[in-house]
Amino acid sequence: MSAVDPSLIERIIRDDVRAMGAYHVADSHGLVKLDAMENPYRLPPELRAQLAARLGEVALNRYPVPSSEALRAKLKDVMNVPDGMEVMLGNGSDELISIISLAASKPGAKVLAPVPGFVMYAMSAQFAGLEFVGVPLRADFTLDRAAMLAAMAEHKPAVIYLAYPNNPTGNLFDAADMEAIVRAAQGEVCQSLVVVDEAYQPFAQESWMPRLTTFGNVVVMRTVSKLGLAGIRLGYMAGSPEWLSQLDKVRPPYNVNVLTEATALFALQHVNVLDEQAAQLRAERTKLADALAALPGVTVFPSAANFLLFRVANAAQTFDRLLARKVLIKNVSKMHALLANCLRVTVSTPEENAQFLEAFNASLQD
Ligand SMILES: *Cc1c(COP(=O)(O)O)cnc(C)c1O
């Protein structure tokens, strides 16, 4: 094997990239996997068989049709995208976030979002050479409207992200706070594109989608990942054709592959199955939150997502004790000062939720 000269790496790879840690995905082999907000349910066997037949017909020798017309039309219909609005597809919403960052990366441009929030907003801003401004939430994870408006006035961000509901906190921001921020970003305080990230919409049942026609500076981003199709990597963004036609120029033309497209179309034709799974998970969320809150020393925060954020006396210890019992959750306590001793657990099937609670109970006796 030929050795790679470290000075060559240094010369080519950006300093900030070399200084970074890699995005860490925990090894979940043999564990009850409650760390990544996945839907625990699969498609029922008869639908899987039908899907297999459908995928067998897909022309793998051809490039995808770049416009993905059929899938976009289906999404508009199923997701109630208002008339006159367009839809753009991404290889997961992670890619859409990168596309927004790239398209907006004028010299000196900034991206602003509440923190703690979804890490990809900051990462993709950094990769595209944009400055990221994080505005702390209040201690109860509500939006600090005054701090947001002050930061908007100071930094004049090109792009503002509002995750609705927020990850990793799980709560829906106050509607009036959101609207004040969107309005202020229409020129009064700054001129910004506001991206409302509705990755958890199936569990929140609240949406800015109907308001797209009212606010010309808003786009709504969603994904099928949390709905039960994390493996196919499909995100979408709805907004005015004026915005999307510009952003679409930055999109790699074949970013959504033919298998993803065919699978998503099929799944959306049976969206009632996914909707039912989401309804079950919402019911389980309530049960799990109540059971957790009843345990000594545990504070559970309100959630409109398919996960719960909760605080314990010692997050690292609780995490390790759960892992020793083969239950993997996410320790978010080091992500931000406001998340001190906080853990995040995905809401799953009644069986897996019970396994988690049992492991948690047992770990209290350690
Ligand atoms: C999971 C998540 C996404 C990313 O979803 P993908 O479509 O799987 O890339 C985007 N935003 C938030 C807030 C998320 O939690």
Side-chain angles (χ1 to χ4, degrees):
M1 224 176 74
S2 70
V4 177
D5 180 355
S7 74
L8 180 61
I9 304 284
E10 254 171 62
R11 241 177 64 167
I12 308 291
I13 305 296
R14 282 161 42 170
D15 296 353
D16 62 328
V17 172
R18 278 188 288 112
M20 285 176 73
Y23 188 90
H24 178 69
V25 178
D27 179 11
S28 59
H29 188 78
L31 304 178
V32 180
K33 190 175 185 317
L34 303 174
D35 65 328
M37 283 81 85
E38 290 148 328
N39 176 344
Y41 300 108
R42 298 181 57 181
L43 289 175
E46 65 279 10
L47 287 187
R48 274 191 249 168
Q50 284 175 36
L51 172 61
R54 189 81 73 88
L55 293 182
E57 295 303 313
V58 172
L60 300 179
N61 56 321
R62 300 291 178 194
Y63 282 105
V65 177
S67 62
S68 304
E69 194 53 50
L71 177 53
R72 288 191 302 120
K74 188 74 185 166
L75 278 169
K76 281 187 202 167
D77 178 35
V78 174
M79 302 300 172
N80 299 313
V81 176
D83 285 346
M85 295 293 122
E86 257 310 329
V87 166
M88 173 180 168
L89 307 181
N91 189 322
S93 36
D94 284 353
E95 189 188 42
L96 295 170
I97 296 167
S98 301
I99 287 172
I100 294 167
S101 296
L102 280 176
S105 63
K106 292 193 184 189
K110 299 183 186 182
V111 170
L112 184 146
V115 287
F118 188 48
V119 291
M120 290 310 295
Y121 307 148
M123 275 181 67
S124 95
Q126 181 194 336
F127 291 149
L130 295 147
E131 186 185 327
F132 178 78
V133 179
V135 181
L137 295 168
R138 294 206 194 88
D140 62 357
F141 305 129
T142 55
L143 268 179
D144 188 338
R145 192 200 288 201
M148 285 292 289
L149 294 174
M152 288 160 66
E154 182 185 345
H155 296 283
K156 311 280 183 204
V159 181
I160 299 172
Y161 286 97
L162 294 171
Y164 190 70
N166 190 41
N167 174 17
T169 58
N171 56 318
L172 283 168
F173 294 139
D174 178 73
D177 286 341
M178 297 263 292
E179 186 169 330
I181 288 164
V182 168
R183 286 193 188 281
Q186 285 180 323
E188 193 186 308
V189 171
C190 57
Q191 283 186 297
S192 324
L193 172 64
V194 181
V195 182
V196 179
D197 181 351
E198 298 189 348
Y200 298 96
Q201 184 272 337
F203 311 101
Q205 299 175 294
E206 294 280 343
S207 177
W208 270 64
M209 194 68 92
R211 311 185 78 182
L212 279 177
T213 46
T214 313
F215 299 102
N217 62 333
V218 171
V219 292
V220 170
M221 194 169 71
R222 290 199 191 157
T223 175
V224 298
S225 294
K226 313 301 170 10
L227 186 60
L229 300 167
I232 71 171
R233 309 305 299 131
L234 180 74
Y236 61 101
M237 185 157 54
S240 299
E242 289 87 342
W243 282 115
L244 297 195
S245 61
Q246 298 301 329
L247 295 172
D248 202 49
K249 298 175 192 171
V250 181
R251 181 180 62 85
Y254 305 121
N255 63 332
V256 176
N257 73 73
V258 289
L259 295 174
T260 292
E261 187 182 8
T263 305
L265 255 178
F266 179 83
L268 291 173
Q269 284 159 359
H270 302 278
V271 75
N272 58 314
V273 174
L274 299 176
D275 288 344
E276 246 164 65
Q277 294 175 352
Q280 278 185 42
L281 292 167
R282 291 195 301 268
E284 282 302 313
R285 174 180 67 202
T286 307
K287 287 195 236 163
L288 184 60
D290 291 348
L292 256 185
L295 296 175
V298 181
T299 306
V300 183
F301 296 96
S303 172
N306 64 339
F307 62 86
L308 294 172
L309 183 78
F310 60 101
R311 180 169 279 135
V312 294
N314 185 335
Q317 188 184 63
T318 302
F319 177 85
D320 288 344
R321 288 176 174 179
L322 288 171
L323 197 56
R325 292 176 170 85
K326 305 242 175 291
V327 174
L328 177 67
I329 63 170
K330 180 96 172 173
N331 181 0
V332 295
S333 62
K334 296 287 182 281
M335 271 182 64
H336 194 275
L338 288 169
L339 294 173
N341 281 319
C342 284
L343 297 164
R344 187 186 70 193
V345 63
T346 308
V347 178
S348 186
T349 60
E351 296 73 25
E352 289 197 341
N353 296 339
Q355 280 176 283
F356 161 71
L357 284 169
E358 195 184 304
F360 198 116
N361 262 314
S363 76
L364 290 172
Q365 323 297 323
D366 282 357

